[in-house]
Amino acid sequence: MDPAQSSMLSDGIEAPWWKLWAKRRNVVMLMAFFCMQVVYLTRLSLNVTVDAMKADLGQSWDNEQLESSFFYGMLVTQIPGGFLGSKFGCTNVITVGIAGTSVLTIFTPLAAYGGAGWIIAVRVLQGMFQGVVFPCLLDLWARWAPPSERTNRVMVTFVGIIVGTLKAMFIGELLVESVSWESVFYIFGGAGCLWCVAWIKMIRKSPDDDRSITDGEKEFIMQTLGNVEGQSGDVKHPWKGIFTSTAVLACAIAGFCQNWGLVNTLNMFPTFLKDTLLYELSPTGFLTTLPYVSAIKGLTIAGPLADRLQVKGLQTATQVRRNFTCASFIAQLIFMLAGALVLNPTAAIILMTIAVALGSFAWAGYVVNLLDMSPKSAGVMMGVVGTFGTVADIVSPVVTGSLTANKTVEEWNVVFFVTAGLYLLGCAVYWFLASGELQPWVVEKRARDRQNDQSAIKYSV
């Protein structure tokens, strides 16, 4: 059912806007939102403590090596995570992922006393546990989000990424200064464990398994999604179709380009200011947090807008995904280059902030696009897209470091022009190859499954 048709149906729930818990899909959304916060609290626990840790232990470890080791673990579990989620239940796999990374976070101080090798081992394992979370969350929304609400609910979930990052920055610094660097790991890891308890108690993988949902809401969701919310164990993924699909490839390349760009507009930008303009941002200062706050605003606009355009029939799913992704890439390219070339700290920060805000619109494009193409296999496809993005997370800082050995303006210009080139590449590939329609290999598989079911009934009779 398309978003316009979905919007004509009702869940029969009449409640004031503030009574979010009246609808079970809102409870799922809030818990997914907090899930992303836990993911980034535990992921960034080392980033916000590493300097204090090294000073306390009298070590001179390479920060980049310790922090980036996380992504090597994440690299290997995202595609398996999508498969495991559909096989054993996305909520169960998410629980294992968050519980694993939370326990490892708690044990990180012990690993630190053992040496850099132990920290790297823990970080790799954390990445492996967290790698399953994103694919399974998309699988969860394939079962819970009506098409007319699909983009907004995914974007609210992604707001948790930014909020979790800000919390890690502020709370982490506060704990390091007022308590100890070890306390960051204990508190952030403990928060993850508490979240797991609430998640297990409150959330089920589909409306069909939720005893707290009203009959009206359950019927509404299941009617709008068809049989997407069926039993996880029944899902058989069209692997050949997924790995040979140009539309999936378009999303994967878009994910690579988006992550590459964010590394340079968010993570590496303070280094650029310090190297070229001798301007050092405070780790938790207003100007440092401004791009993150702008991203929250961008996500909260992009989600409802993308859904509304489809509900009103103003744009098709393909047009929405294509326009949001490509317009976002072009906007990021323009404002990023302007921020890099202006050579004024305040102007550069403002321009980069705009770039990040508009960059968040891309997530309403290529990420949610996976739910359009094949809801039942969205988790697996998210694993593919996430793997491409993780490669960018690993490679981009290395390339940037090698290109800026002398820390000159000219070297940094090369970095930003390379990033601009990737944005153009991602824009072109996505524009020509992306599709917001149910893919042919999904339709063909459904027809084969239906034929097999009919044959089984015939022979059983």
Side-chain angles (χ1 to χ4, degrees), residues 37-54:
Q37 292 186 49
V38 168
V39 164
Y40 275 77
L41 283 172
T42 52
R43 178 184 299 192
L44 298 176
S45 56
L46 181 68
N47 301 58
V48 299
T49 59
V50 64
D51 290 333
M53 176 195 297
K54 287 162 55 179

Side-chain angles (χ1 to χ4, degrees), residues 82-146:
F83 169 75
L84 292 172
S86 61
K87 184 69 175 176
F88 300 106
C90 53
T91 50
N92 295 330
V93 178
I94 290 171
T95 301
V96 172
I98 298 297
T101 195
S102 299
V103 171
L104 287 166
T105 299
I106 293 172
F107 279 97
T108 301
L110 181 62
Y113 285 102
W118 284 101
I119 297 176
I120 291 172
V122 168
R123 291 287 288 177
V124 170
L125 288 173
Q126 279 186 302
M128 293 178 70
F129 276 107
Q130 282 200 17
V132 305
V133 175
F134 278 92
C136 288
L137 277 174
L138 208 64
D139 185 40
L140 182 72
W141 282 127
R143 303 165 190 278
W144 274 97

